[in-house]
Amino acid sequence: MISPDFKADLRLILQDARDTLLWKLEGLSEYGIRRPMTPTGTNLLGLVKHLAGAEAFYFGTVFGRPVDAPELWIAGDAEPNADLWARPDETRKQIVGDYRRICAHSDATIEALPLDAVGRMPGEGGSELTLHRALAHMIYETSRHAGHADVVRELIDGAVGQRAGGDNMAPGDASWWAAHRDRVERAAKEADRLNSGTESAPSEARGTARPAPADPQ
């Protein structure tokens, strides 16, 4: 019987999400990796910069092992969204290098501490959290932003896939995917017609302002 190694499993899943995120930058120009692709400015290099700050926060600051990193605006240390885009003077090499360096620091924290080690959020009355909880949060956080990066990359140049070693996509050429998209569109319109009695576009609101989350993202 194989004995479970929970820390190793969590670490493996986190690393897979990290690798996927960086893979989404490959082959793009400086404009491509910085280009805002949503109304809120989501861009590939900004996602990497943000996650560098998040790794440093959860595996550095929280456990008393500080490391130099981009400041998280949500933690109150920078202007709004400062960690979610790259200034012209911030290079790809610098931001990706920072991310790799900070991830290595995170891995050292994970290696050095047991899963039940307790850290504390900064600030007066900061809540406590275990290394296990910090790992679970960063897996969620990195996977979520890797998903953002997947969609952003597809919008930029059509490139898709789960990871470099396996795209996890249905087989099909460009014409097959165009037909598939048309099929999904027709189904959406038909469902809307059946449920609303009209063939007009759905009337629900398209995006609303979001309150700032309580914890760093």
Side-chain angles (χ1 to χ4, degrees), residues 93-187:
K93 181 178 180 181
Q94 173 192 340
I95 291 175
V96 171
D98 282 346
Y99 183 57
R100 294 187 187 279
R101 171 180 57 80
I102 293 164
C103 286
H105 179 86
S106 298
D107 291 341
T109 297
I110 296 167
E111 180 65 26
L113 302 177
L115 286 176
D116 60 358
V118 176
R120 182 178 292 277
M121 301 285 279
E124 185 177 351
S127 60
E128 294 182 337
L129 72 163
T130 63
L131 178 64
H132 192 165
R133 178 67 180 272
L135 266 164
H137 176 85
M138 279 310 304
I139 288 170
Y140 154 78
E141 182 76 8
T142 309
S143 297
R144 175 174 180 259
H145 289 312
H148 291 154
D150 193 27
V151 174
V152 167
R153 180 63 190 258
E154 184 175 2
L155 291 171
I156 292 171
D157 66 356
V160 295
Q162 183 175 358
R163 58 178 60 90
D167 60 21
N168 199 32
M169 300 290 293
D173 58 15
S175 62
W176 186 92
W177 282 107
H180 171 70
R181 186 191 182 285
D182 289 344
R183 183 183 184 188
V184 175
E185 177 71 14
R186 290 194 302 272

Side-chain angles (χ1 to χ4, degrees), residues 24-38 41-47 86 92 149 151-157:
K24 293 299 174 179
L25 275 66
E26 291 186 9
L28 289 178
S29 66
E30 284 295 322
Y31 175 63
I33 61 174
R34 299 163 186 264
R35 182 181 176 188
M37 297 301 296
T38 70
T42 306
N43 64 95
L44 293 173
L45 195 59
L47 292 173
R92 178 200 311 236
V151 174
V152 167
R153 180 63 190 258
E154 184 175 2
L155 291 171
I156 292 171
D157 66 356

